[in-house]
Amino acid sequence: MKKIHPAGFNPVSAPDFLPLERLQNLQLQRLQDMVQRAYDHVPLFRQRMQERDLQPADVRTLADVTKLPFTVKTDLRDTYPFGLFASPMRDIVRLHASTGTTGKPIVVAYTKEDIGVWANVMMRSFAACGLHSGDVIQNAYGYGLFTGGLGAHYGGEALGATVIPISGGNTQRQLMVMKDFGSTAICCTPSYFLHIIEQAPELGVNLKELPLRVGVFGAEPWTETMRRRIEAESGLKAYDIYGLSEIIGPGVAMECECQAGPHIFEDWFFPEIIDLKTGKPVADGEEGELVLTTLGKQAMPMIRYRTRDITALTTERCECGRTLRRIQRIGRRSDDMFIIRGVNVYPSQIETALLKVEGTLPHYQIILTRDKGLDEVEVQVEVTREVFGDTVGVLEQLQRRLCQSVETLTGLRVNLRMVQPQTIQRSEGKAKRVIDQRKM
Ligand SMILES: [Zn+2]
């Protein structure tokens, strides 16, 4: 007899719905294997375990994960290039690396099995936002050393969708392909998609008339306000995907059609939330730093990797029925935080404050300067052409409202400059929101 599934059910998503007990048994078994593997093959991890008088056998329950030492980004730099690998080079089929604007990049490795896991979680990511075979995925993440391009590519193919490996940049060609090839989904950074939205009318393309219906956006923090702007202007549904190269690349977590925060693919990645300062676990639902342990990475196991991303974990069951826990969308990276006159500020707070006000465009930049030892913040935001056409009084009023909105959300008085559309430099990858000129 043919099984009848609810509309939209995709069999590739089955692991997302594992009963909790089975999921936890699987997690424990994989965690134990992973700790043993890292202990046997990664000298740095073994040394830290020995310093704590720990043996792999001391991991008896999932809760025991908190006994294990953390891994941090500098560990990857300090052991550059291959010091954290747990597989010999003959078993490694792929290397990726961060572009490394300063100093050495970080290098990550994959065995054939690891590539399989990555394709699996990316495939489930696409399925979670309602894509299936027959969909045409325009993959505008960069191909190359960056993990975005190939990660999404293999996942899309595993799903049976048609993948267009267009990579980032060349907006005119992106729009031509989108129109002529009938793309139904696009993958890129949210800021690059904003750029596509802006260019479309100039090139005679009406995004709302195209078959495009899904956007898979990630690789940089973005806000809920930004999501609403993107959806209203393009007519697609915008989903938040989360990942990082140190763990696997994109596909660590992905939103389902409820758009209620990314579900972590917990059968492969074990999440914890810790207090930034003390490193101790926080209570369920409380904000802290996301720490991830890979449960199946052969070439480069990551035990308790501190992501620097700030979020909260929710155990509340999602309406989609997935058993996988969700994280709050990540709008903040502790690395992005800047301190100005003693106030901690995240670019995403400023983004929310600006986009709340009507008349603004979703393009902004924050410039930090120091004058006679005093820190100054200038926020530049583009406003619509109509605003510029208005009277001085209207302009001044808008400026006051923007300053007030920023002050209410951040506690910070800023110099606010409204600029013409297209003034702020566009990005084809990750947007540069903060320009800190204080060190110069
Ligand atoms: Zn869900």
Side-chain angles (χ1 to χ4, degrees):
M1 208 176 76
K2 204 166 175 264
K3 248 186 167 171
I4 297 165
H5 290 299
F9 179 85
N10 193 326
V12 306
S13 301
D16 302 2
F17 297 87
L18 274 184
L20 208 54
E21 198 181 326
R22 269 183 60 199
L23 174 66
Q24 287 170 348
N25 287 338
L26 186 68
Q27 285 177 320
L28 178 59
Q29 187 202 325
R30 286 181 175 164
L31 174 67
Q32 288 168 332
D33 290 350
M34 197 78 331
V35 170
Q36 186 70 55
R37 185 175 179 83
Y39 189 86
D40 291 344
H41 299 289
V42 184
L44 181 71
F45 181 69
R46 187 167 55 245
Q47 180 203 326
R48 286 182 180 165
M49 288 285 278
Q50 284 165 347
E51 282 163 10
R52 285 167 176 75
D53 232 347
L54 282 172
Q55 293 286 323
D58 293 324
V59 180
R60 293 188 193 90
T61 66
L62 280 177
D64 289 335
V65 77
T66 56
K67 296 179 188 165
L68 302 171
F70 289 120
T71 308
V72 293
K73 193 162 196 161
T74 47
D75 293 335
L76 283 107
R77 294 228 163 89
D78 295 346
T79 56
Y80 174 87
F82 306 147
L84 296 183
F85 290 8
S87 297
M89 203 50 99
R90 66 172 177 277
D91 293 336
I92 289 170
V93 299
R94 176 106 57 87
L95 297 176
H96 278 284
S98 70
T99 40
T101 40
T102 51
K104 298 280 190 202
I106 57 159
V107 184
V108 294
Y110 304 79
T111 62
K112 208 173 239 182
E113 271 179 292
D114 295 336
I115 295 286
V117 169
W118 194 11
N120 175 269
V121 289
M122 270 312 300
M123 171 182 76
R124 286 157 64 192
S125 299
F126 287 136
C129 62
L131 297 173
H132 38 69
S133 61
D135 271 303
V136 179
I137 302 174
Q138 182 162 338
N139 186 12
Y141 280 123
Y143 281 67
L145 282 179
F146 170 59
T147 48
L150 285 172
H153 185 102
Y154 277 58
E157 286 189 352
L159 183 70
T162 309
V163 180
I164 307 172
I166 191 163
S167 198
N170 198 341
T171 310
Q172 193 168 353
R173 191 179 53 177
Q174 299 278 356
L175 281 157
M176 181 192 76
V177 163
M178 198 179 283
K179 192 169 159 226
D180 295 349
F181 296 8
S183 308
T184 56
I186 182 156
C187 307
C188 58
T189 57
S191 52
Y192 185 51
F193 191 64
L194 283 172
H195 186 43
I196 292 179
I197 291 178
E198 190 176 52
Q199 293 290 303
E202 291 179 23
L203 298 163
V205 178
N206 181 347
L207 289 176
K208 290 183 180 167
E209 283 173 1
L210 300 184
L212 195 68
R213 64 171 212 282
V214 167
V216 178
F217 300 130
E220 66 183 11
W222 55 307
T223 58
E224 198 57 38
T225 352
M226 184 71 97
R227 174 184 357 234
R228 286 196 291 271
R229 287 279 182 106
I230 287 176
E231 291 189 338
E233 284 175 38
S234 66
L236 56 62
K237 263 186 104 173
Y239 294 93
D240 190 15
I241 188 164
Y242 173 73
L244 61 167
S245 304
E246 298 90 315
I247 297 301
I248 203 151
V252 172
M254 173 68 187
E255 280 189 322
C256 68
E257 289 183 272
C258 303
Q259 292 179 306
H263 287 277
I264 297 190
F265 294 109
E266 281 192 83
D267 48 336
W268 294 116
F269 315 108
F270 187 78
E272 300 168 72
I273 305 285
I274 60 162
D275 183 282
L276 264 171
K277 291 202 184 76
T278 66
K280 299 266 182 277
V282 301
D284 252 351
E286 255 178 53
E287 266 199 351
E289 180 182 347
L290 177 65
V291 172
L292 290 165
T293 298
T294 56
L295 296 179
K297 199 103 182 296
Q298 301 297 310
M300 202 170 152
M302 275 290 142
I303 310 286
R304 303 196 83 202
Y305 184 71
R306 294 188 63 160
T307 64
R308 317 301 292 161
D309 289 322
I310 297 162
T311 183
L313 205 54
T314 159
T315 43
E316 197 181 304
R317 190 65 69 88
C318 181
E319 278 179 40
C320 71
R322 280 176 172 76
T323 38
L324 307 172
R325 283 177 288 176
R326 282 168 294 152
I327 43 174
Q328 227 172 52
R329 61 184 295 114
I330 290 167
R332 297 190 287 156
R333 291 209 120 133
S334 56
D335 295 349
D336 294 340
M337 188 187 81
F338 57 90
I339 302 174
I340 196 102
R341 304 194 288 260
V343 183
N344 296 354
V345 187
Y346 291 91
S348 61
Q349 292 174 294
I350 293 189
E351 176 176 307
T352 304
L354 297 174
L355 298 190
K356 267 182 163 179
V357 179
E358 213 177 310
T360 56
L361 294 170
H363 302 280
Y364 65 94
Q365 207 154 46
I366 302 156
I367 296 145
L368 309 178
T369 51
R370 184 167 288 154
D371 185 30
K372 299 187 188 87
L374 269 182
D375 288 343
E376 292 289 339
V377 194
E378 180 177 272
V379 175
Q380 297 183 354
V381 61
E382 290 184 8
V383 294
T384 59
R385 276 182 220 290
E386 293 77 61
V387 169
F388 271 105
D390 242 315
T391 59
V392 178
V394 173
L395 274 168
E396 281 174 354
Q397 202 186 19
L398 180 64
Q399 182 164 28
R400 265 199 305 278
R401 283 177 54 209
L402 284 166
C403 285
Q404 211 163 47
S405 183
V406 173
E407 194 176 344
T408 310
L409 251 121
T410 63
L412 199 68
R413 268 176 195 276
V414 300
N415 304 318
L416 195 126
R417 196 145 76 88
M418 296 183 294
V419 296
Q420 301 265 11
Q422 312 265 20
T423 310
I424 292 165
Q425 204 190 344
R426 302 299 189 250
S427 139
E428 290 177 350
K430 303 181 191 196
K432 190 157 177 53
R433 301 297 191 197
V434 183
I435 297 175
D436 194 344
Q437 297 172 337
R438 291 178 296 180
K439 293 165 202 132
M440 292 174 201

